[in-house]
Structures are given as C-alpha cells and as structure tokens.
Amino acid sequence: RIRGDLRGAKNRLIQAEKLASVGQLAAGIAHEIGNPIGIALGLSEILKEGASDPIQVRDFASQVHSAILRVHGILRDLLDFARPSREEGARAEVRACLDGVRKLVRSHKRFEGIDLRIHLPADPLWVEIRPSQLQQVLLNLWMNAADAMNGRGTLTTTVRREGSRVEIEVRDTGPGI
C-alpha cells in the first residue's frame, strides 16, 4: 500500500511540474495565438461585410483557415504535453521527445531570438525513461537557457551514443553562473 501511495504521489508531482511548465509557456503562447486570431478576425470581418471579388474571397477564406489551423496546432501541442499519460511506457525515443519540446517552444515569445540547434545521429536512440519525463527535463533546461540568454543567442542540444549509454548535452551562449 505504501509503495502504491508513493507511486501515486510521484505521478502527481510529475503532473504538477508539467502544469507549472505549461503555465510558463502560456504567456508566450498567448502572444503567438493572438497573431493568427487577429488575422482571422480581420479577414472574416471583411468577408462578413461582403467582399465581392470571388478570387479575393477565396484568398481571404484560405488565410482565415490557415490562421485557425496554426492556433489549433499550437493548442494541440500544448495539450499533448500537459495531458497525463497513463499508459506511457518507460522507454522514450530521444528524437520524438526533442521534436515534442521543439513544437512547444517554437511558439514561445522567449524563443523568438534564439537559434535552436539540435544534433543527433540518424538512427533512433531509445532511453530508459518515460517520454513525458524526458520532455520535462529538456523543457526545463531549454527554458532556463532561454532565461540565461535573455531570449537572444544559440541553444544547442547534442545527442550521442556513448557505448551502451545515450548522452544529451544542452549548451547555451548565456553568461553562465
């Protein structure tokens, strides 16, 4: 029973940390969502007033659709990250985890001036950790790096195989501690 209680407490703690990261990301994502929503609202207003040129109407409708798809993608990525993962295995593929975190931060205002570089081997690299945990670690490191660089600089993540181990190195061009 105690082991079950500890496991439950650990899962709640991991979920609380994920939600804290989601809160940090929310401000940057709100800015990113605001742009496509503004475009969609403006163009839909023109369409509502009755634009007469069929080519222009089609173009505006296409732009509104693209803006809404952008917002949908941003929200889907955020929800995928925040959602508790009940059936998640204890093995993660590093490239997939890096891609997931990259999707999250690409919309964050803090990363606008950061050159994000990722170097990893072509072959899949599996590690013994839940994907959500690896993503959380990477997100924390990247957010700390973005803070250290004041939103300007280069953030490099290098992944390499070292014998039977996988090494993930995160470097930034901030001033250091």
Side-chain angles (χ1 to χ4, degrees), residues 99-113:
D99 287 343
V101 177
R102 183 185 353 212
K103 283 181 184 178
L104 282 173
V105 302
R106 75 172 178 219
S107 301
H108 199 287
K109 189 174 185 175
R110 194 180 311 177
F111 283 81
E112 286 177 357

Side-chain angles (χ1 to χ4, degrees), residues 8-174:
K10 177 183 166 192
N11 289 339
R12 286 189 300 278
L13 184 62
I14 289 169
Q15 185 62 22
E17 189 165 329
K18 282 173 72 174
L19 290 175
S21 295
V22 167
Q24 283 184 334
L25 290 169
I29 288 174
H31 170 74
E32 186 67 21
I33 287 173
N35 292 335
I37 286 180
I39 290 168
L41 283 173
L43 293 173
S44 66
E45 189 67 32
I46 293 170
L47 291 170
K48 190 171 103 178
E49 290 173 5
S52 59
D53 179 13
I55 294 173
Q56 188 180 38
V57 168
R58 194 174 310 117
D59 181 50
F60 285 179
S62 176
Q63 288 182 51
V64 167
H65 184 75
S66 294
I68 292 170
L69 284 177
R70 173 124 175 85
V71 170
H72 178 70
I74 290 167
L75 292 174
R76 188 184 59 242
D77 292 342
L78 184 63
L79 290 172
D80 285 347
F81 177 76
R83 186 176 294 121
S85 46
R86 300 191 196 295
E87 297 183 19
E88 186 177 49
R91 287 192 64 197
E93 203 284 305
V94 176
R95 181 182 309 276
C97 290
L98 283 165
D99 287 343
V101 177
R102 183 185 353 212
K103 283 181 184 178
L104 282 173
V105 302
R106 75 172 178 219
S107 301
H108 199 287
K109 189 174 185 175
R110 194 180 311 177
F111 283 81
E112 286 177 357
I114 293 179
D115 179 17
L116 183 59
R117 298 177 184 181
I118 298 176
H119 306 286
L120 65 164
D123 59 317
L125 296 174
W126 291 89
V127 291
E128 296 296 323
I129 186 172
R130 285 190 169 87
S132 62
Q133 290 174 322
L134 180 55
Q135 285 183 324
Q136 184 67 53
V137 168
L138 291 167
L139 179 62
N140 289 347
L141 290 170
W142 287 10
M143 295 293 279
N144 289 342
D147 282 342
M149 295 186 292
N150 292 318
R152 298 263 176 250
T154 302
L155 174 58
T156 306
T157 302
T158 305
V159 182
R160 59 185 149 271
R161 186 181 307 276
E162 295 289 332
S164 63
R165 299 173 49 160
V166 173
E167 181 179 295
I168 302 173
E169 175 185 54
V170 177
R171 290 178 170 258
D172 64 65
T173 56

